[in-house]
Amino acid sequence: MQWEIIRAEYVASAVKASQFPEGEEPEVAFIGRSNVGKSSLINSLCRHNGLARTSGEPGKTRTVNFFRVWFKREDGLRRSLFLVDLPGYGYAKRSKTERQDLLDWTQSYFRSSQRLRLVVQLLDIRRELQPLDLTVHRWLQDEGLTVQPVATKIDKLSRSAVSGALKALRTGLGISAETPILAYSSLMPAGRQELLARLVEAVDFDATDNI
Ligand SMILES: Nc1nc2c(ncn2[C@@H]2O[C@H](COP(=O)(O)OP(=O)(O)OP(=O)(O)O)[C@@H](O)[C@H]2O)c(=O)[nH]1
Ligand SMILES: [Mg+2]
């Protein structure tokens, strides 16, 4: 049965674990290079412009931001989860210390979150896989987390270029055809239903009763 998002609200921004919001809801986090489109994707997924702050300048998101999102199934069943917008990695204009601090903090978020069910790793469809993307991908897997790669900004390329780029990203990440990389555009929009279905599958709403 189909699920749809019916409401989304900003809950909290955290710079330390004690500021994480309370709640039993499962959590889905979004990670990727600065400017890859994490905050825009959250807004388009929730159909709520301005929910997460976006910017043409990289390095906009500096805190771990929590959004509570309510889902409704065709038969009326409701469930909620947290979407978590993280600071981007790899922004060269930050000082080395600030980059390291953000990285340490992001790593400590991944290690301390008990509710995390899925990490969506965003990759820019126009760019070759960067060494840092691969490092982050492997680190998350080594931590035992489930990672779903999503290629963003597909509106910038032709259809055939998109499928070639998806193949190259899959090869670069070393993943099999059974784990498809989802293709997304916050502008078109495209890929929204597929990503929603992936989230619902990962959080397993049937096993929770949080409303
Ligand atoms: N063409 C196109 N542009 C996009 C898309 N998604 C985001 N953008 C643009 O990319 C820029 C960065 O978007 P953000 O959503 O702020 O990126 P972010 O990953 O949250 O960036 P940081 O918070 O700095 O890490 C903005 O100018 C967006 O308008 C997309 O699907 N297509
Ligand atoms: Mg952002």
Side-chain angles (χ1 to χ4, degrees):
M1 258 190 273
Q2 286 256 124
W3 290 82
E4 190 44 86
I5 290 177
I6 49 169
R7 198 177 143 212
E9 68 175 28
Y10 164 81
V11 179
S13 297
V15 292
K16 53 185 175 191
S18 62
Q19 295 169 337
F20 293 165
E22 288 187 13
E24 311 247 302
E25 290 96 328
E27 208 162 282
V28 175
F30 295 83
I31 191 159
R33 299 182 74 82
S34 278
N35 211 239
V36 71
K38 299 173 292 297
S39 304
S40 303
L41 182 146
I42 289 177
N43 290 341
S44 81
L45 203 61
C46 297
R47 293 194 172 130
H48 189 324
N49 281 337
L51 178 68
R53 289 210 196 120
T54 64
S55 168
E57 290 286 306
K60 177 73 183 172
T61 309
R62 283 157 183 265
T63 48
V64 175
N65 301 315
F66 293 81
F67 303 92
R68 186 178 272 116
V69 180
W70 285 264
F71 283 70
K72 189 174 166 191
R73 203 166 64 180
E74 280 170 74
D75 62 356
L77 186 73
R78 288 164 190 240
R79 289 285 184 268
S80 63
L81 54 67
F82 284 117
L83 296 185
V84 184
D85 190 12
L86 292 162
Y89 53 78
Y91 180 38
K93 280 195 189 160
R94 288 196 209 280
S95 73
K96 216 172 170 187
T97 323
E98 197 191 355
R99 257 185 287 165
Q100 193 56 47
D101 285 353
L102 275 178
L103 207 61
D104 289 350
W105 159 228
T106 309
Q107 288 188 334
S108 82
Y109 159 74
F110 283 118
R111 288 191 166 132
S112 62
S113 175
Q114 305 292 314
R115 307 177 288 215
L116 192 55
R117 298 286 175 274
L118 180 71
V119 182
V120 178
Q121 184 179 18
L122 277 64
L123 305 160
D124 191 322
I125 192 83
R126 298 165 302 171
R127 301 188 66 174
E128 274 178 36
L129 191 74
Q130 309 285 302
L132 193 51
D133 291 321
L134 191 56
T135 305
V136 169
H137 187 78
R138 293 203 172 130
W139 184 85
L140 291 165
Q141 288 184 320
D142 290 347
E143 288 295 312
L145 296 163
T146 308
V147 187
Q148 172 62 57
V150 172
T152 60
K153 308 193 185 182
I154 61 158
D155 54 278
K156 296 267 195 185
L157 294 183
S158 69
R159 267 182 172 222
S160 59
V162 166
S163 81
L166 286 173
K167 261 187 215 148
L169 287 174
R170 193 179 298 125
T171 309
L173 289 172
I175 55 178
S176 63
E178 292 98 72
T179 322
I181 297 182
L182 299 179
Y184 202 93
S185 166
S186 300
L187 281 197
M188 281 162 89
R192 184 175 177 276
Q193 284 307 329
E194 291 82 355
L195 184 54
L196 272 185
R198 181 69 186 94
L199 261 52
V200 167
E201 180 201 347
V203 300
D204 193 10
F205 279 139
D206 289 339
T208 62
D209 61 347
N210 59 25
I211 282 185

